[in-house]
Amino acid sequence: MIDSNNIQSYEFKTEVNELLRLMIHSLYSHKEVFLRELISNASDAIDRARYLALTESSIYEQDTEWKIKIIVDNEKNTITISDNGIGMTKDEIIEALGTIAHSGTKEFIKKLVASDSKQKADLIGQFGVGFYSVFMVADKVTVLSRKAGIPKDKAVKWESIGEGNFTIENISKEKRGTDVILHLKSDERVYLQEWEIKKIVKQYSDFIEHPIILDIEREKPSEIDKSKTVKLREEEKINSQKAVWIKDKSEITKEEYEEFYKHISHNFNPPLQTIHYKAEGTQEFTALLFIPETAPFNIFFSDYKIGPMLYIKRVQIMKNCELLIPTWLRFIKGVVDSSDLPLNVSREMLQNNKQVEVIKKSITKKVVDTLAEMKKNDPENYQIFYKEFGRILKEGIHFDFSRQEQIGELLLFKSLKSTNYIDLDSYIELMKPGQEDIYYITSNSIEEALNSPYVEAFKEKDYDVLVFTDEIDDIIFNNYQYKGKKLKAVMKGDIDLEKTSSNKDKEQKFNKLIDLMKDTLKDHVKDVRFSGRLKDSPCCLVYDEIALDSRVERLMKAMGQHVPENKKILEINSSHPLYESMNNLFNKDGSKEQLKEYISMLYDHALILDGSKPQNPNALLKGLSELMIHKINNQLS
Ligand code: ADP
């Protein structure tokens, strides 16, 4: 930090710097979004000030008319977006415009580098790099801001050319709020044109509920000499301020819905589905909700803001109200406008509020019904939705007990037999005679599942097995029942598809060998038993019915959670010739030490198949190479 004449210089955070570089040097389309982003910030700042002013009237400072101004200066080549909203303190401005980077910035930059220019613009919006988009059109940006309620000489000036650093200066500012001054690049002066500004505002910000005033110099015929023109500054409101959701459905065009969605989601693609309805009765409210086509960039990050905007009688109260929506529908964007909640409501008051609960229930039902309808009538779009958000939707199975079946109906799966999506109803329809349960395997991929020892017997019986590839699947479907049918993991519990005693004699004869295996592995496994699920592989590890699988265990460990030790069961395939040989060795000279070594290798074998590491890779590989030598020597002799 350099101190000279009250100006301090700060470095942008590394990620911000990288982002700016990309923004300046590689984004060429949709540059006009800078205006949308600045207007949106200004509008948010006003909403926040207005909300505070409900309880703290000193916020007004005699300036009670909320408005956003766009001021064009042709001489200086600047366009200024000015608001009388909440403003920023020095600390806030340093943090907001330079030192904090959203979580996921690194991943975002990577994706940005790899995408084409249209996708780039989309990504920028989804990520919400809003303010920094100014550097697409300006080579210098000055921000003057004074926080509402603080003295006039405690305002702050922020300035940057968008590379490396920004400066901060203490200044005086008469009016509360923020002015963002863009010094336009010489080839971006089109944004000084009245028609261009009007066009952008009409397209992206028409329904902003605060007036957007254009303050511009126009040439007019002179009053004195009509043959001459004079330059006059004039002001004109250029947005219609019409809240889309208040209008009657029949009066809204598809384009209007889409523009509104693009505005609130910062997206360029239209939504996949629009839900607009008015609820009357115990709670009167209007909801305009959207199911996006693509997931916002940060949806899996902890700072992702959940929930639609909350308006009360057309006044914005919260930009995101997470209480209005269950987390498993957190991809929903939109607005809820209530007629019944009190205007001065706080977040705390909304918690455990019955009215809010009613709204949430209604929205949840509406969205679930809409998805069901989409799945039935528009399967193509539903698959687009499912690929993007299925992973989130199914969390509902775990969190919303009352809707378990309804959500189950919405789920799609891949399976051993079907690489296209199928649902649970069609799985049930195709179940074989005698098959009672729905089987699934958790796996990293379909290919891996197809080759897994756990499904050998299922394949032989021609049973289909659902393949779950999301890490959370096992947590979600552990214990799940769908329409009276249990979902069972093929790697858990005692599965015996044969249900016959044909192997019993053979197994009797291995009893002593099994005892030796139990004894050798007693520190590692809970039990050693014969398997009803193996056909070709010699052995595998299985879990108790209620235990979580090792993918989940690894996930929990990676998240730093304590995972209780959970010993598995070693299942052996009595029809595998290996046991016959081992048993012969056992009976011949009872060479226990040698057998113990083989048993240990078998256990390692099972660990690898389970996706875990062998206990002692070195010993395993050494054993293997010895066997190879042995085999080769046999071949040679
Ligand atoms: P976002 O709006 O998505 O948070 P931005 O980069 O557009 O991202 O803005 C970063 C932050 O800067 C905002 O969250 C807000 O705190 C602050 N900010 C930007 N513009 C204004 C403004 N006009 N008035 C007050 N604060 C603002």
Side-chain angles (χ1 to χ4, degrees):
M1 200 195 312
I2 312 150
D3 226 321
S4 80
N5 304 331
N6 167 40
I7 302 179
Q8 298 163 330
S9 171
Y10 293 80
E11 304 257 314
F12 281 118
K13 187 171 173 149
T14 324
E15 285 105 340
V16 174
N17 242 332
E18 235 171 299
L19 210 57
L20 283 168
R21 226 185 352 259
L22 276 165
M23 198 85 74
I24 297 168
H25 300 294
S26 56
L27 261 181
Y28 304 107
S29 69
H30 293 302
K31 288 186 181 178
E32 75 280 6
V33 298
F34 81 90
L35 195 53
R36 174 185 81 178
E37 298 301 313
L38 292 181
I39 290 174
S40 170
N41 283 349
S43 173
D44 290 349
I46 292 177
D47 288 335
R48 285 176 58 201
R50 182 178 56 182
Y51 179 61
L52 281 183
L54 290 171
T55 47
E56 236 176 280
S57 59
S58 63
I59 295 285
Y60 283 119
E61 303 179 9
Q62 274 115 39
D63 176 7
T64 53
E65 253 178 75
W66 307 109
K67 64 176 164 231
I68 300 164
K69 269 180 124 177
I70 301 178
I71 306 152
V72 175
D73 188 327
N74 282 309
E75 257 122 64
K76 292 192 184 134
N77 291 315
T78 59
I79 171 170
T80 300
I81 288 73
S82 165
D83 67 66
N84 57 357
I86 189 75
M88 285 173 275
T89 63
K90 182 169 158 181
D91 289 346
E92 284 168 348
I93 208 167
I94 292 171
E95 205 176 277
L97 308 183
T99 50
I100 52 160
H102 303 234
S103 57
T105 306
K106 282 204 185 100
E107 289 85 344
F108 170 72
I109 291 170
K110 250 192 247 156
K111 217 168 159 184
L112 201 61
V113 170
S115 55
D116 66 34
S117 61
K118 184 188 172 292
Q119 290 167 328
K120 277 193 173 104
D122 261 1
L123 280 173
I124 298 251
Q126 287 167 41
F127 188 66
V129 283
F131 174 79
Y132 299 121
S133 59
V134 291
F135 289 105
M136 295 194 288
V137 297
D139 45 25
K140 186 166 92 177
V141 177
T142 311
V143 183
L144 312 176
S145 193
R146 179 165 71 77
K147 180 100 174 178
I150 72 168
K152 297 186 173 149
D153 60 354
K154 291 275 183 287
V156 60
K157 173 174 164 184
W158 177 104
E159 195 163 74
S160 178
I161 57 164
E163 275 170 35
N165 59 347
F166 58 92
T167 58
I168 291 287
E169 195 180 336
N170 297 321
I171 55 157
S172 274
K173 186 174 183 292
E174 183 60 28
K175 292 193 159 200
R176 75 158 179 270
T178 306
D179 300 342
V180 181
I181 307 161
L182 277 64
H183 308 264
L184 293 172
K185 293 181 185 171
S186 55
D187 50 355
E188 304 293 352
R189 303 249 159 97
V190 62
Y191 300 112
L192 297 172
Q193 303 288 340
E194 176 166 353
W195 54 267
E196 182 67 22
I197 297 171
K198 280 185 169 167
K199 188 182 85 185
I200 303 171
V201 170
K202 197 92 217 144
Q203 183 177 357
Y204 295 112
S205 316
D206 191 49
F207 37 76
I208 289 279
E209 61 172 311
H210 311 292
I212 301 173
I213 313 285
L214 178 64
D215 177 337
I216 198 163
E217 194 174 65
R218 290 180 177 138
E219 288 205 11
K220 295 265 165 172
S222 159
E223 295 280 318
I224 309 151
D225 178 353
K226 296 268 189 244
S227 67
K228 292 200 176 124
T229 56
V230 287
K231 288 182 177 171
L232 278 178
R233 282 210 84 85
E234 289 184 319
E235 290 193 350
E236 181 189 347
K237 181 170 84 92
I238 55 172
N239 64 327
S240 76
Q241 293 175 265
K242 273 202 193 109
V244 201
W245 61 93
I246 296 298
K247 291 200 215 167
D248 199 68
K249 254 172 117 161
S250 60
E251 287 171 20
I252 312 175
T253 61
K254 194 163 169 256
E255 287 71 31
E256 275 179 289
Y257 276 132
E258 287 184 1
E259 291 308 343
F260 180 66
Y261 166 74
K262 288 176 188 174
H263 169 80
I264 58 166
S265 69
H266 302 268
N267 229 303
F268 282 93
N269 298 333
L272 209 52
Q273 191 67 251
T274 302
I275 304 168
H276 187 189
Y277 74 105
K278 240 189 197 90
E280 270 146 15
T282 47
Q283 274 305 301
E284 223 172 272
F285 67 90
T286 301
L288 173 54
L289 308 170
F290 300 97
I291 301 174
E293 188 184 75
T294 44
F297 199 78
N298 54 350
I299 196 157
F300 287 107
F301 290 104
S302 58
D303 60 359
Y304 174 72
K305 299 215 168 55
I306 298 176
M309 300 189 270
L310 173 63
Y311 278 71
I312 297 176
K313 301 183 191 76
R314 294 204 51 201
V315 175
Q316 191 185 87
I317 303 298
M318 274 167 218
K319 240 189 125 181
N320 297 94
C321 185
E322 73 283 0
L323 302 166
L324 290 173
I325 207 132
T327 52
W328 50 276
L329 292 179
R330 62 185 176 277
F331 46 83
I332 294 288
K333 298 261 170 223
V335 185
V336 172
D337 196 336
S338 156
S339 314
D340 301 326
L341 289 166
L343 259 176
N344 59 352
V345 76
S346 66
R347 215 170 262 271
E348 291 70 43
M349 283 162 71
L350 288 176
Q351 255 147 15
N352 304 320
N353 177 305
K354 285 224 171 64
Q355 293 165 294
V356 172
E357 275 301 312
V358 172
I359 300 177
K360 178 175 173 180
K361 228 177 169 164
S362 156
I363 293 179
T364 308
K365 181 174 178 327
K366 199 80 183 180
V367 174
V368 168
D369 289 349
T370 305
L371 289 173
E373 208 179 286
M374 244 173 112
K375 177 166 175 274
K376 193 163 150 231
N377 301 326
D378 190 1
E380 235 166 78
N381 267 333
Y382 189 73
Q383 288 201 11
I384 295 178
F385 157 78
Y386 198 83
K387 274 193 196 123
E388 209 60 22
F389 301 112
R391 193 182 146 169
I392 295 172
L393 180 71
K394 65 187 162 198
E395 291 171 16
I397 299 267
H398 190 72
F399 290 115
D400 195 339
F401 198 74
S402 68
R403 289 182 196 277
Q404 275 196 333
E405 184 165 311
Q406 223 182 353
I407 299 168
E409 282 174 2
L410 294 175
L411 302 184
L412 299 177
F413 303 93
K414 302 273 169 78
S415 75
L416 289 191
K417 291 193 191 181
S418 166
T419 45
N420 289 328
Y421 277 131
I422 55 164
D423 61 9
L424 289 174
D425 288 324
S426 38
Y427 180 97
I428 292 173
E429 228 167 83
L430 296 172
M431 273 166 56
K432 299 283 161 204
Q435 181 183 351
E436 284 163 16
D437 305 311
I438 299 172
Y439 293 105
Y440 71 86
I441 177 166
T442 55
S443 171
N444 294 318
S445 67
I446 302 268
E447 295 71 42
E448 195 180 300
L450 277 168
N451 293 316
S452 163
Y454 296 101
V455 299
E456 286 169 1
F458 294 87
K459 283 204 275 195
E460 198 179 80
K461 293 210 73 146
D462 201 27
Y463 285 8
D464 201 4
V465 175
L466 301 173
V467 181
F468 290 178
T469 47
D470 287 337
E471 272 161 337
I472 52 160
D473 284 335
D474 197 54
I475 301 182
I476 287 174
F477 295 103
N478 207 359
N479 258 330
Y480 181 50
Q481 278 213 18
Y482 179 73
K483 300 191 176 163
K485 302 250 179 294
K486 264 196 198 154
L487 264 78
K488 271 194 167 174
V490 298
M491 57 285 249
K492 285 186 203 171
D494 194 7
I495 286 186
D496 190 353
L497 297 186
E498 296 301 331
K499 293 206 165 84
T500 63
S501 56
S502 63
N503 284 338
K504 284 281 179 283
D505 293 346
K506 209 181 209 171
E507 291 174 357
Q508 282 262 291
K509 125 178 139 181
F510 293 155
N511 270 349
K512 286 203 173 125
L513 177 65
I514 296 266
D515 285 343
L516 178 67
M517 291 180 84
K518 282 185 191 169
D519 189 53
T520 311
L521 299 173
K522 63 177 182 297
D523 292 337
H524 304 292
V525 301
K526 214 167 168 173
D527 195 11
V528 179
R529 69 180 182 212
F530 293 108
S531 179
R533 70 190 97 208
L534 293 174
K535 288 291 152 200
D536 305 317
S537 302
C539 62
C540 66
L541 283 170
V542 302
Y543 305 75
D544 274 346
E545 200 124 1
I546 47 158
L548 292 172
D549 78 3
S550 57
R551 281 155 50 90
V552 176
E553 277 186 6
R554 285 194 290 273
L555 178 72
M556 287 169 70
K557 274 187 193 151
M559 294 192 311
Q561 292 188 21
H562 170 72
V563 182
E565 213 215 336
N566 176 21
K567 280 194 194 158
K568 287 153 202 159
I569 299 157
L570 183 71
E571 280 197 358
I572 65 166
N573 175 2
S574 61
S575 48
H576 197 284
L578 181 63
Y579 298 100
E580 193 71 50
S581 309
M582 281 170 70
N583 203 38
N584 290 343
L585 183 64
F586 185 87
N587 290 334
K588 191 168 161 241
D589 57 7
S591 168
K592 298 259 171 59
E593 285 320 303
Q594 184 64 57
L595 273 169
K596 278 185 178 172
E597 210 175 293
Y598 294 150
I599 290 168
S600 189
M601 278 174 83
L602 267 176
Y603 175 59
D604 275 343
H605 186 128
L607 279 174
I608 294 173
L609 288 175
D610 171 60
S612 308
K613 282 204 183 110
Q615 9 166 30
N616 186 347
N618 244 340
L620 178 68
L621 294 177
K622 197 165 151 252
L624 263 179
S625 36
E626 275 166 15
L627 288 173
M628 277 162 77
I629 294 170
H630 192 67
K631 201 169 172 197
I632 294 170
N633 287 344
N634 268 352
Q635 281 170 333
L636 292 175
S637 61

